[in-house]
Amino acid sequence: MPLPTCFEFECPVKTHCGDRALENIAFEMRAMNAVKPLIIGDEPAAQEKRLVPVLNAFKNAEMTLGVVEAIPVEDPASVAAQLAAIYRDKDCDAIVAVGQGPFIDMAKWLNLMVSTGEENPDAFIEGKGIPRSLRPLAVIPSATADGLELSGYVRLQGKTLRSVNLMPPLLFLDPRSVGQPGDVALAETGLTALTLALEAMFTADANPMDVVYARTAAKLAAMGLNGLAGDSEIGGPLSLTVAHAAALAGCTLGAGPQPLAFKLGWAVAETGKISAAQAMGVMLSYVLEHRLAANEMPADMLLELLDSAGRYARTPEGQRGAAGLQLLRDLLNRLFETTDGKIRRTLSDSGLSLQDVTEATEGISAQGKGNASGGQETIITCAWEGRPIR
Amino acid sequence: MELIYSEKRSGKSYLKQSYICVLLWFMGRAVQAASRVDDRVRKEFKDLPENFTFALGVMPAGPHLVVRRTAEGTARYLGHRITPQPVDLKMEFKHLDAGFLTFTFRENTPVATARDRLVVDGEVGYACAVVRILDAVQIYLLPKFIARLAVKRYPRWPLGQKLLHRTRIYWRTILGY
Amino acid sequence: MLHIPGYYEYCCRVNVVAGHDGLEKIPALLERVQAAKPMIVTDRGVAGAGLIDVVTAALGDKVTIGGVEDDVPQDSSLEAVQRIAEAYRANGCDALIAVGGGSVLDTAKGANIMVSEETDDLMAFSGVGKLKRRLKPLIAIPTTAGTGSETTLVAVIKDHARHQKMPFVSYFLLPDAAVLDSRMTLTLPPAITAATAMDALTHAVEAYTCLAKNPLSDANAVSAIELIARHLMAVMQQPDNRDGRLALAVAATLAGMAFSNAMVGMVHNIGHATGAVCGVPHGTCMAILLPYGLEYNQHRNGHLTAELLFHLEGPDVFAHTPSDQRAQKVIACIREMNQSLHAITQGQHARCLRETYDRDGNRAVPFERLTEIAATAKNDPAILLNPEDLDDEDYMMVLEHAWDGSPLNRADIAGFEKKY
Ligand SMILES: [Fe+2]
């Protein structure tokens, strides 16, 4: 890929990943001058007792911890307001959030509130006025993730705030705190991560620093998905791999515009027939195929990302792009098999008609990031049928 | 919807803490002993500045092992507290568990360093010498199969020398002379 | 292949702005951190090359420059730090722009501590984690594509009066932004371009092959290696190649991100010692020693070195080289790079230690001083994360070969026979 002649990169997230990651929370808090974190967890975290290892990890840290467990996400604005009152009342000075998806949006909003004193999200529309240094926020995600946890996005009651400054400064991935979701949930997290990562890699203006996160997230997602699809060579704890992929994919997105397949996935999910993750997983290869053809960019690197440098090198040059896309589609087909059809190969697998999909995705703009105009219909038709564009 | 707030102290892991306490005491005494018996360790201490004091321990509140290079060029074990004496070089694990992993020989010094488990502060120029001293002492104190885990390259010293030194360091460690 | 260690940490918080007109983004960057009157810190060499004029021209009238301090010494010194802090206060500045290499940036960081903490006692903040809050905005503009110091959270200030080095380590020492602009390296002389690029290559290669590697630092490293492999020779042949210059600057920062997270190994270890004892420039040491480091460690990390062939030479060479010969091929490629750089700089780029000369044209590294280098290297912390240990004999063996320019004899390596 050619180097863009002008770009900007920023990722304020510090990653801690692996064995005893949680034990470092206290150290990082002290380094940021915080002594009394407010530890908050969502309902799934409470059910799976994922807060227990987090609290235990503070042993010998000589700190006082504020704890609020099993927090619902139905009414995030009022929950955040209540938590902000608690935070101030109890003199907390940092936030540790254990959970996933919308709960993390709520935690980021809570942090913005306690850091600035502002209670109205409208004050920050378009990322305006969000200060560079907020209070320390540590995110402890699970392997069930929607990919936006580590991004600079905050979705709150139909509004979206985004800013690099909203990216959580601390990420802790620990085998004890990522949970053990079932294969379908894991595959969905993996597909979301793969979508965000590959979309970031295969854009005309990808810069080598964004590509660092994208590349790593893509390889981790591929590793996790290949493991779920029964690839015997892949060992290790799959939950951690998949959670890792999703977290880094969120870093890749940052506060940038959401990529096409991601947006299409969420739009199709509105029909209620298929999850956003699965829909974007299905559409990913078609979005890439269409974009790469339109921009005359090679899809060759897919082979290296999804398999290995060796596979890339030994495949003849002219065959690499097609082989890469085929590998991506095969991955979905294998997941379809190992999950007894619960992971869809095509949009029609979900029982949606082509018209349903077309209606659901109307108004999604494919602008920016090198998407060709007018290709949406082709992408959707091919993704519905499961037929390569060429 | 009422949220329930609770507050707790971070608690303590007495077992791990006691284990580390005992091991650090033992190593501290062993360093002191080795500085009198073993040529390599003696030479390392000779090369350190007089009164140079280093500490190895666990954040945020210890325990530590504190050793000073005496005027004679040997080592003196100063106990498990970093105060009141000033420390020139401090090597501290970021948390108790990181120390426990290393002191139970599951992560050796290079691996612990690679994994960012340690914070080295002060006269970092002497960190290498201190690591070499600790490595050498571990090789004497520990059975080979454990010591191999603790150091990068297990040395090819003559067996007799090692056995002889090992017994002498053991005795001195326990008796404290 | 993805190598995931049992545990790792990765942090790269510096905001990077890169481009042919990167400097023009500075007013916006300053506005973002609510600063309007920056002080420029640099050294005589940079100012003499006219680079400060380029910076001030790019800033135009959008920013009031609160002063230009252009006499930072080669080694950062306490006096310079104090002088700059005083000027900063006297002129009512609210941000710092450091234009130059490592010592300029370190000096600016030191001055920043003094003005932000409103202290005259710099020593009180020396050590790890003594800084507890954000400092004044600091923008780094590197002028060589090599050191990667714009990505580090360390500063070292020398107190010449007390013969002390004061280290400072804190995330708050990361610059707020690093601006990479092709104009800053366009006039770099060929020999320095070569040496600094080899320094960056060494950062990437050591980060990838030593003990603290992690998946993100690996991705940094391979991107840096690909950029250097693709652009270095083009820039050497055509120094005003703007795209190539930008690529090398980006590669150096990527490599800096890799090594500030994954550290370095014996190449830097011996290189630091050679620099300290004989005054050989850092990049020159790196270029000479890199193949030896890979050769020495090969029984430990040959499989990792082998993977780099794909990024260094591309898929075809990779596919055509049997897997057990790839590591050797990487080492050979780096030696060839040195050879080509030697040729293209008419011998200024040294291939071995005996080819290095000081300012007066004398041999910089007399053979007799190798023992001194070995003794110094033993106490350089960069050795901790090298995959294999070196004892006195090992150091001498490596140094003698590097002096002479002959490849290592693998059978001489003490750790070798025990492992296999
Ligand atoms: Fe270097």
Side-chain angles (χ1 to χ4, degrees):
Chain A
M1 267 168 277
L3 185 72
T5 53
C6 182
F7 68 87
E8 186 168 352
F9 165 82
E10 187 169 16
C11 179
V13 179
K14 179 174 182 190
T15 302
H16 306 73
C17 174
D19 189 23
R20 305 309 194 277
L22 297 174
E23 272 74 4
N24 289 285
I25 303 174
F27 174 84
E28 294 295 332
M29 290 286 152
R30 275 197 304 273
M32 295 174 97
N33 231 3
V35 291
K36 190 178 176 187
L38 178 62
I39 300 174
I40 55 176
D42 62 5
E43 279 168 334
Q47 277 155 20
E48 294 161 22
K49 301 198 172 7
R50 281 190 276 116
L51 228 57
V52 177
V54 176
L55 296 174
N56 280 336
F58 279 90
K59 275 196 175 146
N60 287 60
E62 317 222 323
M63 277 185 177
T64 304
L65 316 170
V67 184
V68 182
E69 270 195 83
I71 299 169
V73 289
E74 277 75 54
D75 185 6
S78 90
V79 167
Q82 280 186 63
L83 285 171
I86 292 174
Y87 180 101
R88 292 184 190 116
D89 186 43
K90 306 292 178 186
D91 284 325
C92 295
D93 50 17
I95 298 165
V96 178
V98 187
Q100 62 208 39
F103 175 75
I104 301 296
D105 290 86
M106 190 283 295
K108 291 185 218 168
W109 167 238
L110 166 66
N111 193 26
L112 190 54
M113 278 204 293
V114 298
S115 300
T116 61
E118 177 62 57
E119 313 249 321
N120 181 3
D122 291 339
F124 303 109
I125 292 299
E126 302 285 316
K128 291 254 156 46
I130 299 176
R132 265 174 88 76
S133 40
L134 302 175
R135 296 302 310 160
L137 167 64
V139 168
I140 302 172
S142 75
T144 319
D146 70 4
L148 295 182
E149 284 82 356
L150 273 296
S151 74
Y153 275 75
V154 171
R155 295 155 299 174
L156 197 76
Q157 296 177 312
K159 289 173 191 142
T160 301
L161 306 180
R162 60 185 170 114
S163 160
V164 171
N165 302 340
L166 286 172
M167 295 174 78
L170 297 169
L171 160 66
F172 296 89
L173 291 158
D174 189 303
R176 295 164 295 171
S177 61
V178 291
Q180 297 288 340
D183 282 4
V184 174
L186 268 183
E188 289 186 333
T189 307
L191 288 170
T192 308
L194 193 65
T195 303
L196 286 170
L198 290 183
E199 283 254 40
M201 288 221 53
F202 293 99
T203 51
D205 57 353
N207 76 64
M209 293 181 187
D210 285 334
V211 164
V212 165
Y213 277 94
R215 195 187 159 89
T216 314
K219 287 196 158 204
L220 283 164
M223 197 168 147
L225 291 170
N226 276 321
L228 285 166
D231 193 327
S232 58
E233 280 175 42
I234 284 149
L238 277 182
S239 294
L240 183 64
T241 308
V242 169
H244 197 176
L248 299 188
C251 294
T252 307
L253 178 63
Q258 292 181 0
L260 183 59
F262 191 81
K263 282 192 290 189
L264 290 173
W266 280 96
V268 175
E270 294 282 308
T271 60
K273 294 261 181 70
I274 185 170
S275 70
Q278 290 203 29
M280 64 181 83
V282 169
M283 278 183 288
L284 177 61
S285 69
Y286 303 96
V287 169
L288 292 181
E289 185 179 9
H290 189 266
R291 179 186 310 154
L292 296 172
N295 292 290
E296 293 180 358
M297 277 163 70
D300 297 12
M301 281 309 283
L302 269 177
L303 274 183
E304 198 249 348
L305 294 169
L306 300 177
D307 196 310
S308 64
R311 174 98 177 243
Y312 174 99
R314 68 177 170 265
T315 307
E317 200 177 341
Q319 296 172 26
R320 284 174 190 151
L325 288 167
Q326 194 49 48
L327 210 57
L328 190 51
R329 287 171 188 143
D330 280 346
L331 178 61
L332 219 52
N333 298 346
R334 285 190 293 140
L335 286 169
F336 176 84
E337 191 183 357
T338 52
T339 60
D340 301 324
K342 291 195 190 79
I343 294 289
R344 322 287 192 192
R345 300 161 300 183
T346 63
L347 292 179
S348 57
D349 272 351
S350 64
L352 286 163
S353 71
L354 184 55
Q355 199 187 346
D356 294 339
V357 180
T358 310
E359 277 167 18
T361 54
E362 252 168 20
I364 300 281
S365 119
Q367 274 170 1
K369 291 274 165 190
N371 292 309
S373 57
Q376 207 144 310
E377 201 185 315
T378 320
I379 291 169
I380 286 166
T381 313
C382 290
W384 188 78
E385 286 178 34
R387 156 176 73 80
I389 295 176
R390 295 196 168 178
Chain B
M1 169 71 215
E2 188 68 20
L3 299 175
I4 301 157
Y5 174 85
S6 63
E7 203 158 274
K8 59 174 269 184
R9 278 298 291 171
S10 47
K12 271 197 186 321
S13 175
Y14 291 102
L15 200 70
K16 286 177 186 169
Q17 194 177 2
S18 321
Y19 171 85
I20 293 177
C21 249
V22 170
L23 194 98
L24 285 179
W25 175 86
F26 198 71
M27 278 194 41
R29 303 303 287 265
V31 170
Q32 179 172 310
S35 77
R36 280 156 217 194
V37 176
D38 178 73
D39 287 341
R40 285 179 189 82
V41 177
R42 186 172 10 208
K43 170 136 194 343
E44 294 289 357
F45 272 100
K46 270 251 144 47
D47 292 344
L48 289 173
E50 194 178 326
N51 281 330
F52 177 84
T53 311
F54 68 85
L56 172 71
V58 174
M59 282 182 170
H64 291 87
L65 86 80
V66 186
V67 170
R68 172 173 300 163
R69 186 237 194 237
T70 63
E72 300 81 57
T74 55
R76 175 174 308 140
Y77 171 63
L78 297 180
H80 63 95
R81 275 176 230 262
I82 27 180
T83 46
Q85 67 273 4
V87 171
D88 301 298
L89 174 71
K90 210 161 47 170
M91 296 167 62
E92 284 183 297
F93 289 94
K94 287 181 180 173
H95 49 83
L96 189 77
D97 262 69
F100 194 68
L101 281 173
T102 294
F103 296 131
T104 48
F105 314 105
R106 285 175 289 170
E107 278 184 6
N108 62 25
T109 323
V111 170
T113 315
R115 295 184 177 181
D116 265 319
R117 305 284 203 200
L118 276 158
V119 176
V120 182
D121 198 0
E123 304 273 334
V124 291
Y126 297 108
C128 288
V130 171
V131 168
R132 282 196 299 269
I133 290 167
L134 295 173
D135 273 1
V137 169
Q138 292 189 60
I139 285 161
Y140 282 121
L141 283 180
L142 303 169
K144 186 170 177 176
F145 73 97
I146 295 179
R148 276 187 100 105
L149 303 174
V151 300
K152 224 187 267 175
R153 178 154 88 180
Y154 198 81
R156 292 173 300 170
W157 300 338
L159 186 68
Q161 180 199 348
K162 197 150 56 201
L163 280 181
L164 190 69
H165 279 182
R166 184 177 284 170
T167 21
R168 283 163 71 190
I169 293 173
Y170 268 129
W171 276 112
R172 283 168 177 258
T173 301
I174 293 160
L175 300 174
Y177 62 87
Chain C
M1 266 304 284
L2 209 51
H3 297 265
I4 306 171
Y7 175 73
Y8 80 89
E9 292 179 8
Y10 179 90
C11 183
C12 168
R13 286 189 176 141
V14 60
N15 177 197
V16 179
V17 174
H20 295 313
D21 54 357
L23 296 172
E24 275 77 1
K25 306 279 160 62
I26 293 175
L29 291 171
L30 287 170
E31 201 187 307
R32 216 184 281 176
V33 290
Q34 281 114 43
K37 198 175 178 191
M39 158 158 282
I40 295 180
V41 179
T42 188
D43 62 28
R44 287 269 155 79
V46 171
L51 295 179
I52 298 303
D53 301 335
V54 179
V55 173
T56 48
L59 296 180
D61 49 11
K62 295 199 190 94
V63 171
T64 317
I65 292 164
V68 179
E69 288 290 318
D70 65 359
D71 48 0
V72 171
Q74 286 257 316
D75 274 340
S76 59
S77 76
L78 185 59
E79 299 85 74
V81 167
Q82 282 164 337
R83 196 176 55 238
I84 289 164
E86 261 165 47
Y88 181 102
R89 287 178 187 136
N91 299 356
C93 298
D94 56 9
L96 288 147
I97 300 181
V99 189
S103 64
V104 169
L105 188 55
D106 279 6
T107 306
K109 285 176 177 178
N112 199 4
I113 296 172
M114 291 184 82
V115 298
S116 304
E117 294 290 344
E118 293 173 8
T119 177
D120 289 318
D121 180 18
L122 196 56
M123 196 66 194
F125 296 91
S126 174
V128 181
K130 299 280 161 57
L131 294 165
K132 294 289 187 190
R133 53 196 165 129
R134 251 179 199 282
L135 305 177
K136 302 283 181 200
L138 169 64
I139 293 178
I141 308 177
T143 52
T144 58
T147 60
S149 57
E150 64 279 6
T151 62
T152 59
L153 37 106
V154 185
V156 180
I157 308 289
K158 282 196 187 139
D159 183 348
H160 292 288
R162 277 187 268 181
H163 302 286
Q164 261 182 342
K165 265 190 192 176
M166 291 186 276
F168 302 84
V169 185
S170 166
Y171 277 113
F172 298 113
L173 285 175
L174 268 178
D176 291 83
V179 177
L180 312 176
D181 190 304
S182 48
R183 284 169 287 178
M184 291 290 104
T185 51
L186 217 49
T187 53
L188 216 56
I192 298 180
T193 304
T196 49
M198 291 306 281
D199 184 22
L201 182 68
T202 307
H203 293 153
V205 171
E206 287 213 283
Y208 195 89
T209 55
C210 290
L211 297 176
K213 70 198 261 77
N214 67 61
L216 286 164
S217 69
D218 284 353
N220 280 318
V222 299
S223 295
I225 293 169
E226 284 174 5
L227 287 172
I228 295 169
R230 215 181 316 144
H231 295 280
L232 177 57
M233 287 309 158
V235 170
M236 292 304 294
Q237 273 144 13
Q238 190 199 359
D240 59 351
N241 175 342
R242 292 164 76 224
D243 288 343
R245 289 289 187 185
L246 183 63
L248 292 182
V250 170
T253 303
L254 278 164
M257 292 168 172
F259 94 87
S260 54
N261 282 286
M263 309 305 181
V264 284
M266 66 180 278
V267 179
H268 270 81
N269 170 257
I270 303 178
H272 289 156
T274 312
V277 174
C278 299
V280 182
H282 180 69
T284 305
C285 297
M286 295 301 102
I288 294 170
L289 292 164
L290 179 56
Y292 293 97
L294 293 175
E295 233 168 8
Y296 183 87
N297 288 325
Q298 206 182 327
H299 61 283
R300 295 274 191 212
N301 63 7
H303 59 295
L304 302 174
T305 308
E307 289 174 4
L308 294 179
L309 187 61
F310 182 81
H311 307 284
L312 202 59
E313 289 287 286
D316 291 336
V317 175
F318 184 83
H320 283 124
T321 312
S323 56
D324 61 344
Q325 289 168 32
R326 286 176 185 155
Q328 209 50 57
K329 180 86 181 160
V330 167
I331 297 167
C333 285
I334 294 170
R335 291 212 160 100
E336 274 164 36
M337 275 173 94
N338 276 332
Q339 182 60 46
S340 311
L341 293 171
H342 180 78
I344 213 165
T345 57
Q346 278 109 35
Q348 282 187 65
H349 182 84
R351 295 163 299 183
C352 51
L353 291 176
R354 79 181 146 79
E355 286 181 356
T356 57
Y357 295 94
D358 63 17
R359 252 176 233 158
D360 309 321
N362 302 316
R363 203 163 252 174
V365 187
F367 190 82
E368 311 80 66
R369 299 199 74 181
L370 296 185
T371 38
E372 211 179 317
I373 296 176
T376 311
K378 267 183 82 175
N379 288 317
D380 181 89
I383 198 59
L384 260 177
L385 293 173
N386 194 62
E388 181 59 280
D389 258 342
L390 286 92
D391 58 25
D392 297 342
E393 287 166 44
D394 298 326
Y395 272 120
M396 283 312 291
M397 186 258 304
V398 173
L399 278 164
E400 282 170 17
H401 282 282
W403 192 84
D404 196 39
S406 55
L408 291 187
N409 180 0
R410 295 271 317 138
D412 291 344
I413 296 161
F416 183 67
E417 55 191 295
K418 272 190 307 298
K419 187 94 196 290
Y420 291 94

